[in-house]
Amino acid sequence: MTATDRSIELVTLAAQAAADRLAHDIIAYDVSDVLSITDAFLLASAPNDRQVKSIVDEIEERLNKELGAKPVRREGDRDARWILLDYVDIVVHVQHSEERVFYALERLWKDCPEIALPEDAVQTRGKAEEHARLMGTDGADGELS
């Protein structure tokens, strides 16, 4: 089984919305063969809590406005370190860069096929590592690109 057209449409728009809010390392996986609860995961990150929240708000607004989709669940707002939006067909994970490195969701889903994303989203790959270098921190150790 593969992700439905609706799931691909949601992931594509969510990825573009995340890229428009300067998210880092946007990637999507088709998890439909290994999970029965959703078709796809979208992962994105940001270097601070405020930006994590901004990215999530933009994704939620765009999916609602353009596709009439509302999440059935939104978790993680309190600390804004890892916010999850559950749209049933897709699940969006927006993490603070530190959580992204620590939890390394890419390693869990690396055997699942990647979903093609808009060019703006693809160009965000490696941005967390670049940001960490510019800030003089030992951020992403290559796990995100």
Side-chain angles (χ1 to χ4, degrees), residues 88-108:
V88 180
D89 294 327
I90 70 166
V91 176
V92 177
H93 300 267
V94 182
Q95 299 173 298
H96 187 287
S97 298
E98 292 170 359
E99 268 68 12
R100 181 86 178 260
V101 171
F102 182 79
Y103 289 101
L105 295 179
E106 288 88 345
R107 280 190 254 170
L108 293 174

PDB file of all heavy atoms in Angstrom, residues 88-108:
ATOM      1  N   VAL A  88      -4.718  12.547  10.728  1.00  0.00           N
ATOM      2  CA  VAL A  88      -5.105  11.169  10.452  1.00  0.00           C
ATOM      3  C   VAL A  88      -4.353  10.641   9.228  1.00  0.00           C
ATOM      4  O   VAL A  88      -3.590   9.693   9.346  1.00  0.00           O
ATOM      5  CB  VAL A  88      -6.634  10.972  10.306  1.00  0.00           C
ATOM      6  CG1 VAL A  88      -6.967   9.514  10.012  1.00  0.00           C
ATOM      7  CG2 VAL A  88      -7.360  11.439  11.558  1.00  0.00           C
ATOM      8  N   ASP A  89      -4.539  11.272   8.060  1.00  0.00           N
ATOM      9  CA  ASP A  89      -3.840  10.820   6.849  1.00  0.00           C
ATOM     10  C   ASP A  89      -2.335  11.065   6.931  1.00  0.00           C
ATOM     11  O   ASP A  89      -1.547  10.308   6.370  1.00  0.00           O
ATOM     12  CB  ASP A  89      -4.384  11.536   5.615  1.00  0.00           C
ATOM     13  CG  ASP A  89      -5.828  11.178   5.315  1.00  0.00           C
ATOM     14  OD1 ASP A  89      -6.225  10.026   5.575  1.00  0.00           O
ATOM     15  OD2 ASP A  89      -6.566  12.048   4.826  1.00  0.00           O
ATOM     16  N   ILE A  90      -1.966  12.150   7.606  1.00  0.00           N
ATOM     17  CA  ILE A  90      -0.545  12.464   7.808  1.00  0.00           C
ATOM     18  C   ILE A  90      -0.347  12.927   9.251  1.00  0.00           C
ATOM     19  O   ILE A  90      -1.285  13.387   9.898  1.00  0.00           O
ATOM     20  CB  ILE A  90      -0.026  13.555   6.834  1.00  0.00           C
ATOM     21  CG1 ILE A  90      -0.607  14.932   7.166  1.00  0.00           C
ATOM     22  CG2 ILE A  90      -0.291  13.158   5.391  1.00  0.00           C
ATOM     23  CD1 ILE A  90       0.100  16.095   6.484  1.00  0.00           C
ATOM     24  N   VAL A  91       0.884  12.806   9.705  1.00  0.00           N
ATOM     25  CA  VAL A  91       1.274  13.344  11.003  1.00  0.00           C
ATOM     26  C   VAL A  91       2.479  14.243  10.770  1.00  0.00           C
ATOM     27  O   VAL A  91       3.456  13.840  10.131  1.00  0.00           O
ATOM     28  CB  VAL A  91       1.621  12.228  12.017  1.00  0.00           C
ATOM     29  CG1 VAL A  91       2.109  12.820  13.330  1.00  0.00           C
ATOM     30  CG2 VAL A  91       0.415  11.326  12.257  1.00  0.00           C
ATOM     31  N   VAL A  92       2.374  15.467  11.263  1.00  0.00           N
ATOM     32  CA  VAL A  92       3.437  16.452  11.098  1.00  0.00           C
ATOM     33  C   VAL A  92       4.177  16.592  12.425  1.00  0.00           C
ATOM     34  O   VAL A  92       3.550  16.796  13.460  1.00  0.00           O
ATOM     35  CB  VAL A  92       2.856  17.821  10.676  1.00  0.00           C
ATOM     36  CG1 VAL A  92       3.961  18.863  10.583  1.00  0.00           C
ATOM     37  CG2 VAL A  92       2.079  17.709   9.367  1.00  0.00           C
ATOM     38  N   HIS A  93       5.486  16.459  12.376  1.00  0.00           N
ATOM     39  CA  HIS A  93       6.343  16.635  13.546  1.00  0.00           C
ATOM     40  C   HIS A  93       7.232  17.852  13.290  1.00  0.00           C
ATOM     41  O   HIS A  93       8.030  17.837  12.350  1.00  0.00           O
ATOM     42  CB  HIS A  93       7.275  15.435  13.751  1.00  0.00           C
ATOM     43  CG  HIS A  93       6.585  14.143  13.960  1.00  0.00           C
ATOM     44  ND1 HIS A  93       6.284  13.672  15.205  1.00  0.00           N
ATOM     45  CD2 HIS A  93       6.136  13.208  13.085  1.00  0.00           C
ATOM     46  CE1 HIS A  93       5.693  12.499  15.101  1.00  0.00           C
ATOM     47  NE2 HIS A  93       5.584  12.202  13.822  1.00  0.00           N
ATOM     48  N   VAL A  94       7.093  18.878  14.111  1.00  0.00           N
ATOM     49  CA  VAL A  94       7.998  20.026  14.019  1.00  0.00           C
ATOM     50  C   VAL A  94       8.736  20.083  15.342  1.00  0.00           C
ATOM     51  O   VAL A  94       8.126  20.234  16.397  1.00  0.00           O
ATOM     52  CB  VAL A  94       7.257  21.349  13.740  1.00  0.00           C
ATOM     53  CG1 VAL A  94       8.265  22.492  13.612  1.00  0.00           C
ATOM     54  CG2 VAL A  94       6.406  21.237  12.470  1.00  0.00           C
ATOM     55  N   GLN A  95      10.048  19.922  15.272  1.00  0.00           N
ATOM     56  CA  GLN A  95      10.866  19.813  16.464  1.00  0.00           C
ATOM     57  C   GLN A  95      11.893  20.930  16.554  1.00  0.00           C
ATOM     58  O   GLN A  95      12.383  21.419  15.533  1.00  0.00           O
ATOM     59  CB  GLN A  95      11.622  18.475  16.462  1.00  0.00           C
ATOM     60  CG  GLN A  95      10.722  17.261  16.458  1.00  0.00           C
ATOM     61  CD  GLN A  95      11.538  15.995  16.273  1.00  0.00           C
ATOM     62  OE1 GLN A  95      12.191  15.816  15.258  1.00  0.00           O
ATOM     63  NE2 GLN A  95      11.492  15.121  17.259  1.00  0.00           N
ATOM     64  N   HIS A  96      12.225  21.281  17.790  1.00  0.00           N
ATOM     65  CA  HIS A  96      13.389  22.126  18.034  1.00  0.00           C
ATOM     66  C   HIS A  96      14.584  21.311  17.531  1.00  0.00           C
ATOM     67  O   HIS A  96      14.615  20.082  17.649  1.00  0.00           O
ATOM     68  CB  HIS A  96      13.503  22.397  19.535  1.00  0.00           C
ATOM     69  CG  HIS A  96      14.554  23.388  19.888  1.00  0.00           C
ATOM     70  ND1 HIS A  96      15.893  23.099  19.826  1.00  0.00           N
ATOM     71  CD2 HIS A  96      14.464  24.672  20.300  1.00  0.00           C
ATOM     72  CE1 HIS A  96      16.588  24.151  20.189  1.00  0.00           C
ATOM     73  NE2 HIS A  96      15.739  25.133  20.479  1.00  0.00           N
ATOM     74  N   SER A  97      15.573  21.964  16.993  1.00  0.00           N
ATOM     75  CA  SER A  97      16.727  21.269  16.408  1.00  0.00           C
ATOM     76  C   SER A  97      17.391  20.302  17.378  1.00  0.00           C
ATOM     77  O   SER A  97      17.835  19.220  16.975  1.00  0.00           O
ATOM     78  CB  SER A  97      17.750  22.287  15.902  1.00  0.00           C
ATOM     79  OG  SER A  97      17.181  23.077  14.885  1.00  0.00           O
ATOM     80  N   GLU A  98      17.447  20.655  18.653  1.00  0.00           N
ATOM     81  CA  GLU A  98      18.069  19.766  19.640  1.00  0.00           C
ATOM     82  C   GLU A  98      17.282  18.470  19.791  1.00  0.00           C
ATOM     83  O   GLU A  98      17.856  17.391  19.886  1.00  0.00           O
ATOM     84  CB  GLU A  98      18.191  20.465  20.987  1.00  0.00           C
ATOM     85  CG  GLU A  98      19.177  21.612  20.971  1.00  0.00           C
ATOM     86  CD  GLU A  98      19.121  22.459  22.232  1.00  0.00           C
ATOM     87  OE1 GLU A  98      18.300  22.182  23.135  1.00  0.00           O
ATOM     88  OE2 GLU A  98      19.906  23.419  22.311  1.00  0.00           O
ATOM     89  N   GLU A  99      15.952  18.574  19.818  1.00  0.00           N
ATOM     90  CA  GLU A  99      15.112  17.372  19.901  1.00  0.00           C
ATOM     91  C   GLU A  99      15.237  16.543  18.634  1.00  0.00           C
ATOM     92  O   GLU A  99      15.223  15.314  18.686  1.00  0.00           O
ATOM     93  CB  GLU A  99      13.643  17.751  20.123  1.00  0.00           C
ATOM     94  CG  GLU A  99      13.213  17.821  21.552  1.00  0.00           C
ATOM     95  CD  GLU A  99      13.835  18.964  22.338  1.00  0.00           C
ATOM     96  OE1 GLU A  99      14.460  19.877  21.751  1.00  0.00           O
ATOM     97  OE2 GLU A  99      13.723  18.949  23.551  1.00  0.00           O
ATOM     98  N   ARG A 100      15.356  17.219  17.526  1.00  0.00           N
ATOM     99  CA  ARG A 100      15.471  16.506  16.243  1.00  0.00           C
ATOM    100  C   ARG A 100      16.709  15.624  16.233  1.00  0.00           C
ATOM    101  O   ARG A 100      16.655  14.468  15.813  1.00  0.00           O
ATOM    102  CB  ARG A 100      15.515  17.530  15.110  1.00  0.00           C
ATOM    103  CG  ARG A 100      15.607  16.955  13.716  1.00  0.00           C
ATOM    104  CD  ARG A 100      14.249  16.623  13.142  1.00  0.00           C
ATOM    105  NE  ARG A 100      14.336  16.111  11.795  1.00  0.00           N
ATOM    106  CZ  ARG A 100      14.112  16.826  10.713  1.00  0.00           C
ATOM    107  NH1 ARG A 100      13.751  18.082  10.801  1.00  0.00           N
ATOM    108  NH2 ARG A 100      14.213  16.277   9.525  1.00  0.00           N
ATOM    109  N   VAL A 101      17.816  16.159  16.714  1.00  0.00           N
ATOM    110  CA  VAL A 101      19.053  15.372  16.770  1.00  0.00           C
ATOM    111  C   VAL A 101      18.930  14.252  17.803  1.00  0.00           C
ATOM    112  O   VAL A 101      19.282  13.105  17.540  1.00  0.00           O
ATOM    113  CB  VAL A 101      20.263  16.278  17.089  1.00  0.00           C
ATOM    114  CG1 VAL A 101      21.505  15.452  17.373  1.00  0.00           C
ATOM    115  CG2 VAL A 101      20.512  17.243  15.947  1.00  0.00           C
ATOM    116  N   PHE A 102      18.394  14.572  18.972  1.00  0.00           N
ATOM    117  CA  PHE A 102      18.300  13.595  20.054  1.00  0.00           C
ATOM    118  C   PHE A 102      17.397  12.414  19.686  1.00  0.00           C
ATOM    119  O   PHE A 102      17.763  11.257  19.863  1.00  0.00           O
ATOM    120  CB  PHE A 102      17.789  14.253  21.338  1.00  0.00           C
ATOM    121  CG  PHE A 102      17.709  13.321  22.505  1.00  0.00           C
ATOM    122  CD1 PHE A 102      18.861  13.001  23.221  1.00  0.00           C
ATOM    123  CD2 PHE A 102      16.512  12.745  22.882  1.00  0.00           C
ATOM    124  CE1 PHE A 102      18.808  12.123  24.298  1.00  0.00           C
ATOM    125  CE2 PHE A 102      16.439  11.869  23.949  1.00  0.00           C
ATOM    126  CZ  PHE A 102      17.590  11.557  24.665  1.00  0.00           C
ATOM    127  N   TYR A 103      16.195  12.691  19.159  1.00  0.00           N
ATOM    128  CA  TYR A 103      15.242  11.617  18.866  1.00  0.00           C
ATOM    129  C   TYR A 103      15.475  10.953  17.516  1.00  0.00           C
ATOM    130  O   TYR A 103      15.055   9.814  17.306  1.00  0.00           O
ATOM    131  CB  TYR A 103      13.804  12.131  18.967  1.00  0.00           C
ATOM    132  CG  TYR A 103      13.419  12.408  20.399  1.00  0.00           C
ATOM    133  CD1 TYR A 103      13.409  13.705  20.889  1.00  0.00           C
ATOM    134  CD2 TYR A 103      13.106  11.374  21.261  1.00  0.00           C
ATOM    135  CE1 TYR A 103      13.076  13.963  22.210  1.00  0.00           C
ATOM    136  CE2 TYR A 103      12.778  11.620  22.589  1.00  0.00           C
ATOM    137  CZ  TYR A 103      12.759  12.917  23.050  1.00  0.00           C
ATOM    138  OH  TYR A 103      12.437  13.169  24.358  1.00  0.00           O
ATOM    139  N   ALA A 104      16.112  11.638  16.606  1.00  0.00           N
ATOM    140  CA  ALA A 104      16.525  11.086  15.307  1.00  0.00           C
ATOM    141  C   ALA A 104      15.445  10.227  14.648  1.00  0.00           C
ATOM    142  O   ALA A 104      15.670   9.060  14.330  1.00  0.00           O
ATOM    143  CB  ALA A 104      17.832  10.313  15.464  1.00  0.00           C
ATOM    144  N   LEU A 105      14.294  10.811  14.440  1.00  0.00           N
ATOM    145  CA  LEU A 105      13.187  10.068  13.824  1.00  0.00           C
ATOM    146  C   LEU A 105      13.554   9.534  12.443  1.00  0.00           C
ATOM    147  O   LEU A 105      13.033   8.508  12.018  1.00  0.00           O
ATOM    148  CB  LEU A 105      11.944  10.949  13.733  1.00  0.00           C
ATOM    149  CG  LEU A 105      11.324  11.381  15.056  1.00  0.00           C
ATOM    150  CD1 LEU A 105      10.110  12.271  14.812  1.00  0.00           C
ATOM    151  CD2 LEU A 105      10.954  10.190  15.916  1.00  0.00           C
ATOM    152  N   GLU A 106      14.462  10.213  11.763  1.00  0.00           N
ATOM    153  CA  GLU A 106      14.902   9.728  10.445  1.00  0.00           C
ATOM    154  C   GLU A 106      15.450   8.312  10.531  1.00  0.00           C
ATOM    155  O   GLU A 106      15.250   7.518   9.618  1.00  0.00           O
ATOM    156  CB  GLU A 106      15.989  10.637   9.856  1.00  0.00           C
ATOM    157  CG  GLU A 106      15.501  11.972   9.400  1.00  0.00           C
ATOM    158  CD  GLU A 106      15.520  13.020  10.502  1.00  0.00           C
ATOM    159  OE1 GLU A 106      15.642  12.684  11.692  1.00  0.00           O
ATOM    160  OE2 GLU A 106      15.387  14.197  10.162  1.00  0.00           O
ATOM    161  N   ARG A 107      16.153   8.008  11.598  1.00  0.00           N
ATOM    162  CA  ARG A 107      16.707   6.658  11.742  1.00  0.00           C
ATOM    163  C   ARG A 107      15.605   5.618  11.881  1.00  0.00           C
ATOM    164  O   ARG A 107      15.751   4.500  11.406  1.00  0.00           O
ATOM    165  CB  ARG A 107      17.649   6.577  12.939  1.00  0.00           C
ATOM    166  CG  ARG A 107      19.020   7.123  12.605  1.00  0.00           C
ATOM    167  CD  ARG A 107      19.991   6.809  13.693  1.00  0.00           C
ATOM    168  NE  ARG A 107      20.209   8.064  14.398  1.00  0.00           N
ATOM    169  CZ  ARG A 107      20.851   8.186  15.533  1.00  0.00           C
ATOM    170  NH1 ARG A 107      21.332   7.140  16.133  1.00  0.00           N
ATOM    171  NH2 ARG A 107      21.021   9.350  16.079  1.00  0.00           N
ATOM    172  N   LEU A 108      14.515   5.986  12.530  1.00  0.00           N
ATOM    173  CA  LEU A 108      13.402   5.044  12.703  1.00  0.00           C
ATOM    174  C   LEU A 108      12.688   4.747  11.389  1.00  0.00           C
ATOM    175  O   LEU A 108      12.211   3.641  11.173  1.00  0.00           O
ATOM    176  CB  LEU A 108      12.377   5.602  13.698  1.00  0.00           C
ATOM    177  CG  LEU A 108      12.811   5.738  15.136  1.00  0.00           C
ATOM    178  CD1 LEU A 108      11.732   6.446  15.948  1.00  0.00           C
ATOM    179  CD2 LEU A 108      13.096   4.361  15.726  1.00  0.00           C
TER     180      LEU A 108
END
